[in-house]
Amino acid sequence: MNNSDSKYLNYGPFCDPLNPEIAKLANQICAGKNKALEGIELFNWVRDQIKYQVIGLESASATLARGEGCCLAKSNLLVALARAKGIPARYRQFTGFLNSPDEQIAKLKHQHIIAELFVNGQWVAGDPAYDATIETVYEKGELGKTTWHNLSTDKVFENLPHW
């Protein structure tokens, strides 16, 4: 990462890493953890503790307070928590097919946004949307594991645009 990439630590319209609850939680999740593993700890927490629920776009702190969110909301919360810990984070948008044991879902092309964290000198993608409670339909996400294939229309964002 170079100096121009410091923008991936900033506050954004929906990403509020300076919110006291976001900062407090990020510190709690990472307390006593190896610095190299902080991104994984944050990812796992969002994946497992924030219930998947289709909702509209809101701030990361609102998603945290709600305790649930869609793929976009969960990725946004992960980006905010990472930035609160000083880990550069950004959004990646693409169109593709989800790895799913459900044949009907697996054959549908979707537009999706995931988080990417800059860890150990590289950008690592992660989709925190899908947890173990819905893995009969979706493949459980892990930081650095691809849960999508045949990707196209790839874009990277510093912050989520106002839609």
Side-chain angles (χ1 to χ4, degrees), residues 17-113:
L18 301 177
N19 175 282
E21 293 302 314
I22 297 284
K24 178 181 172 185
L25 179 60
N27 286 326
Q28 287 175 345
I29 293 168
C30 296
K33 303 294 190 289
N34 179 321
K35 186 80 172 154
L37 300 177
E38 288 180 346
I40 294 170
E41 294 293 330
L42 295 170
F43 176 89
N44 291 342
W45 191 93
V46 171
R47 180 196 63 205
D48 297 337
Q49 301 304 316
I50 302 298
K51 181 182 174 194
Y52 182 82
Q53 180 65 39
V54 177
I55 61 169
L57 180 58
E58 59 189 4
S59 69
S61 57
T63 298
L64 177 60
R66 180 188 297 273
E68 61 187 17
C70 63
C71 52
L72 179 58
K74 290 180 78 168
S75 290
N76 187 45
L77 177 56
L78 176 57
V79 168
L81 288 167
R83 289 179 180 183
K85 285 302 294 176
I87 300 169
R90 64 188 184 188
Y91 307 89
R92 179 168 294 278
Q93 176 187 14
F94 57 83
T95 302
F97 296 88
L98 180 62
N99 298 337
S100 173
D102 183 302
E103 290 181 17
Q104 295 300 314
I105 291 173
K107 69 182 182 181
L108 296 174
K109 194 172 192 176
H110 298 275
Q111 188 174 63
H112 195 60
I113 292 182

